[in-house]
């Protein structure tokens, strides 16, 4: 899932290939390399682990953040440096793997949130969303961004298995639902805790197969999307006009200082 960012020509301490590419021919989705000041602050204030510099956990965490940055902000697979484009597959919850080109075309949110349920039971219809509309929806709901951290790494290269956490503050509308005043926390085996803060959080498990240059060849992600949407769809329904107005304003403001999860 995407961490949100603005754009400027600068480096980032958690993501590779930003500063190095500011002057080259990389094609960026929003006109230039992103920055992640807001979501980096969210990450640093809310993370539960601070890994030693150079540790396997830090290397894996930053590699995934760099891969997510490229997937969200680059428009051509030939500009990716974090994957092996000839072998790359993304597999979510055991579904059929998608190539790099397919993943880039569909978009990270739509790939991760696709459901095999009948349409009438789908709370998010990934097939009806575009790359931009999916990012706009989550940018609106989580204006501070959607932070991501590695909690544990169980095995090292070439097959890296890890547990992760994803969180953000539900402070804007999502698909016609108003934000709530509940903190919603999701744990790996379905334990749910709530309190009086507007926070959306869930956990998952990943397996990353890499080549000798640490480029991803296979990425497998396992998590329960119902846990995420359980928090986002709790809010009361708001009028279509209000929902559209809020979404447009959020997207416009973010594009003015474009997009950051």
């Amino acid at each position: 899932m995407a961490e949100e960012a603005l754009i400027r020509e600068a480096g980032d301490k958690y993501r590779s290939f930003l500063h190095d590419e500011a002057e080259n021919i990389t094609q960026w989705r929003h006109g230039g390399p992103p920055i992640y000041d807001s979501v980096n602050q969210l990450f640093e204030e809310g993370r539960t682990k601070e890994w030693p510099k150079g540790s396997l956990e830090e290397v894996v965490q930053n590699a995934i953040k760099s891969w997510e940055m490229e997937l969200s902000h680059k428009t051509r697979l030939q500009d990716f440096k974090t994957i092996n484009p000839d072998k790359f597959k993304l597999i979510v919850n055991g579904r059929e793997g998608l190539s790099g080109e397919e993943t880039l075309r569909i978009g990270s949110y739509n790939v991760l949130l696709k459901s095999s349920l009948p349409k009438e039971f789908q709370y998010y219809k990934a097939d009806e969303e575009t790359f931009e509309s999916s990012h706009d929806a989550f940018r609106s709901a989580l204006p501070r961004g959607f932070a991501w951290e590695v909690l544990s790494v169980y095995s090292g290269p070439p097959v890296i298995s890890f547990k992760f956490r994803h969180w953000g503050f539900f402070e804007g509308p999502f698909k016609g639902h108003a934000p709530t005043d509940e903190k919603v926390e999701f744990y790996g085996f379905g334990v749910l805790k709530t309190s009086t803060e507007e926070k959306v959080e869930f956990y998952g498990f990943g397996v990353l197969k890499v080549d000798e240059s640490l480029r991803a060849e296979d990425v497998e992600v396992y998590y329960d999307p119902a846990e995420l949407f359980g928090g986002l769809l709790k809010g009361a329904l708001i009028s279509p006009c209000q929902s559209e107005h809020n979404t447009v304003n959020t997207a416009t403001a973010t594009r003015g200082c474009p997009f950051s999860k």
Side-chain angles (χ1 to χ4, degrees):
M1 303 242 180
E3 293 180 296
E4 304 301 323
L6 307 178
I7 287 181
R8 75 176 173 203
E9 295 186 358
D12 183 276
K13 58 186 173 181
Y14 302 115
R15 298 164 186 84
S16 305
F17 315 123
L18 285 176
H19 183 73
D20 296 348
E21 302 189 10
E23 303 297 331
N24 74 6
I25 60 172
T26 296
Q27 291 189 6
W28 297 97
R29 189 171 297 277
H30 299 291
I35 61 168
Y36 285 83
D37 288 354
S38 178
V39 78
N40 282 350
Q41 181 179 350
L42 178 66
F43 166 72
E44 289 168 359
E45 292 175 351
R47 62 187 168 186
T48 61
K49 307 282 187 179
E50 188 168 356
W51 300 113
K53 189 170 180 61
S55 65
L56 177 60
E57 290 85 358
E58 189 212 33
V59 169
V60 171
Q61 181 170 267
N62 291 354
I64 297 292
K65 287 177 181 284
S66 298
W67 169 68
E68 184 280 327
M69 175 275 297
E70 290 195 307
L71 181 57
S72 294
H73 293 282
K74 294 182 178 182
T75 61
R76 303 184 306 181
L77 202 66
Q78 69 194 63
D79 294 329
F80 281 45
K81 292 180 169 60
T82 59
I83 71 169
N84 182 334
D86 296 326
K87 295 184 177 181
F88 181 82
K89 289 286 184 184
L90 175 60
I91 301 165
V92 180
N93 288 337
R95 293 195 298 269
E96 182 179 357
L98 297 176
S99 69
E101 289 289 357
E102 290 171 318
T103 302
L104 184 60
R105 174 178 54 82
I106 295 170
S108 52
Y109 280 119
N110 292 331
V111 170
L112 291 166
L113 298 175
K114 184 177 176 62
S115 172
S116 59
L117 291 171
K119 285 279 189 182
E120 61 267 27
F121 298 118
Q122 293 180 18
Y123 27 76
Y124 179 90
K125 296 178 174 60
D127 293 341
E128 298 177 6
E129 300 285 346
T130 65
F131 186 109
E132 291 295 344
S133 70
S134 63
H135 281 253
D136 284 347
F138 283 90
R139 188 189 300 125
S140 170
L142 306 169
R144 292 193 233 175
F146 207 8
W148 190 93
E149 71 169 334
V150 160
L151 296 178
S152 303
V153 175
Y154 304 109
S155 60
V159 180
I160 303 166
S161 56
F162 59 93
K163 184 179 181 181
F164 67 86
R165 170 179 171 250
H166 222 340
W167 76 98
F169 286 86
F170 183 22
E171 297 168 323
F174 180 79
K175 295 292 183 182
H177 290 263
T180 70
D181 292 324
E182 283 192 332
K183 178 184 179 184
V184 184
E185 298 182 83
F186 302 102
Y187 292 80
F189 298 99
V191 179
L192 173 65
K193 294 186 178 181
T194 62
S195 68
T196 56
E197 292 179 76
E198 303 171 15
K199 189 174 180 184
V200 176
E201 181 176 43
F202 70 92
Y203 293 68
F205 181 80
V207 180
L208 178 66
K209 181 180 179 182
V210 298
D211 64 14
E212 63 276 4
S213 300
L214 292 182
R215 296 182 305 168
E217 295 184 345
D218 287 324
V219 178
E220 298 183 49
V221 179
Y222 299 91
Y223 79 107
D224 184 358
E227 295 184 338
L228 169 63
F229 287 114
L232 292 175
L233 301 180
K234 270 188 173 182
L237 288 171
I238 55 180
S239 71
C241 289
Q242 183 182 355
S243 177
E244 181 179 353
H245 175 74
N246 289 337
T247 301
V248 169
N249 281 349
T250 304
T252 302
T254 312
R255 292 266 174 75
C257 306
F259 174 54
S260 122
K261 124 260 276 89

